[in-house]
Amino acid sequence: MAEKKDIDWANIGFGYMKTDARYVTNFKNGAWDEGCITDDDKVVLSECAGVLQYAQTCFEGLKAYTTKDGHIVTFRPDLNASRLNDSCERLEMPTLPEGRFLEALDKLVLANKEWVPPYGSGATLYIRPYMFGTNPVIGVKPADEYQFRMFATPVGPYFKGGAKPIVIKVSDFDRAAPHGTGNIKAGLNYAMSLYPIVKAHEEGFAENMYLDAATRTNVEETGGANFLFVTKDGKVVTPKSDSILPSITRRSLVYVAREILGLEVEERVVPFEEVKDFAECGLCGTAAVISPVGKINDHGKEICFPSGMEEMGPVTKKLYETLLGIQQGTIEAPEGWIHTIC
Ligand SMILES: *Cc1c(COP(=O)(O)O)cnc(C)c1O
């Protein structure tokens, strides 16, 4: 095993730490260059770069971690590669061949091997691939030149001392318009979510539940995670909408629920009216896998899930532990889910 950096893995937070290496490739004259690993963490851009003027940028998020048997792996990175390209197409950016994405990922992780937290620490190496328009753009149009980068930063365990349920609020703001960009991983979706999340935090809530912008009657997602509900008779329910981001964690949990745990799963429109009848609620995303929700505040009216404020509901917990076990190599993974780097 490689020497590890001298870091108190269990006590680092979710922040940026500059590691040894990052991957960079540039798109010019209609083609990507060869790409390379560099120690240069600085991006020098024209003051008029497309990304700075018209926010032409999108990103991905995944993690590399050490399994029980000492391998460094990533989880379903092919889905990040294809989702990045879906985002690129919607933003009139060039796509990056899936093979290039996976090759960049391997190179990046190998070059930062000493930064991959050890098994059992709960920490992971968070990987941030992203692309942005680099050449000057002042009339509104797509850039001609782009940069794709991938950096890594170690992040601490998402739940220190157990996953405590959070309290969220129903937002009066909208996250995504119908036929808009809610289904792609674009920075622009996050820029406009900052005001509502800062307000929600000031009011003591951990997250915003966004409803569909057209009718404000159906559940969409939070600023950065998809919802998963459990009915009182043990069915898993997750909102279906063209304006939510297709979470890889959520898609994996749906598979785990159906194919491994034998649960019934419904992917469908979820009226907010129905939420009060659910037994459990969780938020899914790469960072936490599942973050349990104990309470939802709807304009002062509280919806309290029977699972309570102390721990995850039983079905949520089973889903969480199964997916975590698959990721960490203690439960056999479905074909193609674990990408071993070394
Ligand atoms: C990234 C993201 C998620 C979670 O997706 P994962 O692939 O599970 O990490 C959910 N919602 C939004 C808006 C996101 O940007």
Side-chain angles (χ1 to χ4, degrees), residues 50-312:
V51 60
L52 299 179
Q53 304 311 320
Y54 302 122
Q56 205 184 9
T57 178
C58 59
F59 67 100
E60 273 302 320
L62 67 162
K63 51 200 188 181
Y65 49 92
T66 311
T67 56
K68 197 173 182 186
D69 57 4
H71 289 292
I72 294 175
V73 306
T74 56
F75 181 72
R76 310 188 78 181
D78 51 312
L79 298 186
N80 295 99
S82 69
R83 192 171 63 186
L84 176 82
N85 285 339
D86 293 342
S87 301
C88 290
E89 280 173 13
R90 179 66 176 78
L91 296 175
E92 285 296 337
M93 299 168 75
T95 55
L96 184 76
E98 213 173 280
R100 284 290 309 273
F101 182 99
L102 297 173
E103 179 196 309
L105 176 64
D106 285 8
K107 284 183 175 162
L108 174 80
V109 174
L110 286 173
N112 289 298
K113 217 170 153 188
E114 296 164 29
W115 298 88
V116 184
Y119 176 78
S121 65
T124 56
L125 187 70
Y126 183 76
I127 294 159
R128 170 54 57 89
Y130 59 118
M131 194 191 293
F132 49 94
T134 52
N135 67 297
V137 174
I138 192 76
V140 178
K141 66 175 173 68
D144 303 306
E145 297 173 10
Y146 294 85
Q147 185 164 103
F148 171 79
R149 292 179 82 94
M150 209 186 257
F151 67 76
T153 185
V155 294
Y158 196 85
F159 299 120
K160 287 196 190 107
K164 285 278 174 209
I166 56 172
V167 184
I168 67 174
K169 70 170 282 189
V170 178
S171 184
D172 289 321
F173 296 95
D174 294 323
R175 190 191 86 89
H179 318 292
T181 54
N183 60 340
I184 60 165
K185 224 168 163 69
L188 59 91
N189 291 331
Y190 280 80
M192 57 90 229
S193 76
L194 297 176
Y195 183 84
I197 194 63
V198 168
K199 290 284 170 284
H201 287 164
E202 279 169 9
E203 294 164 18
F205 302 109
E207 286 292 345
N208 281 306
M209 169 188 266
Y210 291 105
L211 303 178
D212 74 292
T215 71
R216 315 207 94 251
T217 55
N218 302 318
V219 177
E220 293 257 307
E221 61 172 320
T222 67
N226 287 180
F227 278 103
L228 207 73
F229 298 102
V230 180
T231 63
K232 287 186 175 133
D233 56 358
K235 266 189 246 159
V236 174
V237 178
T238 185
K240 188 174 168 153
S241 154
D242 291 338
S243 46
I244 68 179
L245 195 280
S247 156
I248 294 167
T249 314
R250 187 249 304 159
R251 287 182 270 165
S252 303
L253 286 165
V254 163
Y255 182 93
V256 165
R258 276 197 186 120
E259 308 298 327
I260 300 179
L261 301 178
L263 299 170
E264 210 175 304
V265 181
E266 295 175 353
E267 297 177 86
R268 59 165 168 86
V269 170
V270 177
F272 178 69
E273 255 312 291
E274 197 183 334
V275 171
K276 61 178 189 326
D277 301 325
F278 289 131
E280 302 175 31
C281 173
L283 302 177
C284 26
T286 293
V289 180
I290 307 182
S291 212
V293 175
K295 246 189 240 179
I296 301 177
N297 189 301
D298 173 24
H299 303 88
K301 221 167 62 198
E302 284 191 331
I303 296 172
C304 302
F305 294 105
S307 50
M309 290 304 296
E310 282 311 307
E311 51 187 1
M312 280 192 190

